[in-house]
Amino acid sequence: MKLWRKTALLSLATLLIVVMAACGNKNNDSSDKVTVKFSEVIRSIFYAPHYAAMSQGFFEDEGITLDLNTAQGSDKGAAALLAGTADISLVGPEAAIYIHNQKGDKTLKIFYQLTMKDGSFLLSRDPIESFKWSDLEGKTVIGWRPGSSPQMVLNSTLLKEGVKDVNVVTNIASPAMAGAFTSGQGDFIQLFEPVASTLVNAGKAYYAVSMGESFGAYPETSYVATSDFIKKHPDVIQRFSNAVAKGAAWLQTASNDDIAAALAPFFEGTSKELIIQSIERYKKQGTWTTDPVMTQDQFDTLQAVLVENGVLKAEDKVKMTDVADMKYAKKIDTE
């Protein structure tokens, strides 16, 4: 009898140790190390929360190692997901709608909304004392590829402002845009940071207007994965979301010096002062939020822009639940 009681007590003690260990680790799966093949649309300070999460070790804290690749376009980032060469991509959320309407074997799901405004800035070749949208009439603008978020935001703004006779060049690859402008092409150019400030600080372009401030709220960039990947790896999606959210929260309180140091490895050759300038511009226009849940209003704005730009028929609009799964963003744990 005494032997039985001793054995029972030992078993109970062992069980308590296991339970306490589990309780001490709220995200038990984070102990399972995983490599995530990650594709970003372009390299830009517009995505600072992601780089902050990498530099501050937030992905490592969640047990994730990132295999980082730059796609140079949302279309390429979406294609990488479908081909299986990427697990998660940072792309324009419209990519999920396009893929859904193709009714193929694979579909994409948006699970985290990173940016809340367009991140591009319109620069002019010559200084303009007080920019007006009518200044673009009869001019050439070096812009982004057709169907991309920055291209559609610019076009919708031109329509809203009633500006006509603008030649928007959309066939120059994004890495070559700045070089084309500095070599003499175009009267205006639409660029993201830090490339925009690089040209301005070099005296090769002049700041005209922020597209984000001009257009207003717009869900420009989201984290997306295939429905299959999310179903098979919900813990990875949650841990990934937690890490990015930690990066976004860190940006809200970190000093400019700390932010510049965190982002510097991702922007070699870019000065500390230029990184800080870029960050301050994005903060000023409310680019990032600590709430990464895409709302129905944001999704409606997205589809309205797609219809206005002729890349989506009104009758082909989709339900938000068809292409987005926000439960992971709603359950973020940044502790």
Side-chain angles (χ1 to χ4, degrees):
M1 186 70 174
K2 290 182 179 180
L3 179 61
W4 177 87
R5 289 180 63 190
K6 185 176 181 181
T7 302
L9 287 171
L10 286 172
S11 297
L12 179 60
T14 302
L15 177 62
L16 285 173
I17 291 171
V18 172
V19 171
M20 289 175 67
C23 291
N25 184 358
K26 290 185 290 184
N27 190 0
N28 201 24
D29 289 327
S30 65
S31 62
D32 300 327
K33 302 295 183 182
V34 61
T35 296
V36 172
K37 295 176 290 185
F38 173 68
S39 174
E40 61 178 357
V41 56
I42 60 171
R43 179 62 54 88
S44 172
I45 291 176
F46 189 41
Y47 311 124
H50 187 93
Y51 308 128
M54 292 181 68
S55 69
Q56 299 306 300
F58 298 141
F59 283 106
E60 286 83 353
D61 291 345
E62 294 288 340
I64 293 175
T65 299
L66 288 185
D67 180 4
L68 176 63
N69 176 64
T70 305
Q72 301 297 354
S74 288
D75 54 341
K76 296 179 179 64
L81 292 174
L82 298 179
T85 56
D87 300 318
I88 295 173
S89 288
L90 179 62
V91 296
E94 69 277 0
I97 298 174
Y98 298 156
I99 299 301
H100 175 83
N101 283 342
Q102 289 177 7
K103 303 187 185 305
D105 294 334
K106 293 185 178 181
T107 57
L108 306 182
K109 287 275 189 177
I110 304 156
F111 65 87
Y112 188 113
Q113 185 58 41
L114 183 67
T115 60
M116 306 300 165
K117 297 276 182 71
D118 178 80
S120 64
F121 299 88
L122 197 65
L123 310 180
S124 61
R125 181 169 301 283
D126 301 312
I128 300 175
E129 187 172 338
S130 181
F131 174 78
K132 304 181 297 298
W133 286 102
S134 58
D135 292 333
L136 295 179
E137 292 184 354
K139 304 295 184 180
T140 296
V141 179
I142 294 180
W144 293 75
R145 67 172 182 82
S148 65
S149 286
Q151 183 270 326
M152 291 187 292
V153 165
L154 174 60
N155 188 56
S156 289
T157 303
L158 294 177
L159 292 172
K160 181 181 70 173
E161 297 293 337
V163 183
K164 300 178 180 179
D165 190 28
V166 182
N167 177 31
V168 181
V169 178
T170 60
N171 62 354
I172 299 177
S174 56
M177 289 169 60
F181 186 77
T182 56
S183 69
Q185 296 184 50
D187 304 296
F188 291 84
I189 188 169
Q190 183 185 8
L191 290 173
F192 287 74
E193 294 289 8
V195 182
S197 288
T198 299
L199 262 61
V200 170
N201 290 359
K204 297 179 179 179
Y206 297 86
Y207 178 85
V209 68
S210 160
M211 293 304 306
E213 290 180 346
S214 297
F215 187 81
Y218 184 72
E220 179 143 318
T221 331
S222 309
Y223 290 101
V224 177
T226 65
S227 300
D228 289 343
F229 184 86
I230 294 175
K231 184 177 180 179
K232 291 178 182 176
H233 306 285
D235 61 309
V236 174
I237 297 297
Q238 189 63 67
R239 288 151 56 187
F240 188 98
S241 300
N242 293 345
V244 178
K246 291 175 186 177
W250 181 83
L251 278 180
Q252 302 297 318
T253 58
S255 68
N256 283 342
D257 286 344
D258 286 344
I259 294 173
L263 268 58
F266 301 95
F267 299 94
E268 293 183 6
T270 302
S271 69
K272 171 183 174 180
E273 292 74 21
L274 201 150
I275 292 175
I276 291 174
Q277 180 180 334
S278 301
I279 286 289
E280 288 179 338
R281 275 190 175 162
Y282 281 134
K283 280 187 173 182
K284 179 184 176 183
Q285 71 177 31
T287 298
W288 308 300
T289 178
T290 54
D291 182 4
V293 177
M294 177 186 279
T295 66
Q296 185 64 53
D297 284 346
Q298 290 172 336
F299 189 72
D300 291 344
T301 297
L302 171 65
Q303 293 208 100
V305 168
L306 299 181
V307 171
E308 184 175 50
N309 281 271
V311 296
L312 179 70
K313 294 180 180 179
E315 60 269 27
D316 290 336
K317 284 185 178 181
V318 305
K319 295 178 182 178
M320 182 173 166
T321 52
D322 288 337
V323 296
D325 187 351
M326 290 290 111
K327 66 174 175 282
Y328 303 97
K330 291 177 180 177
K331 294 192 300 182
I332 279 172
D333 182 0
T334 57
E335 295 299 324

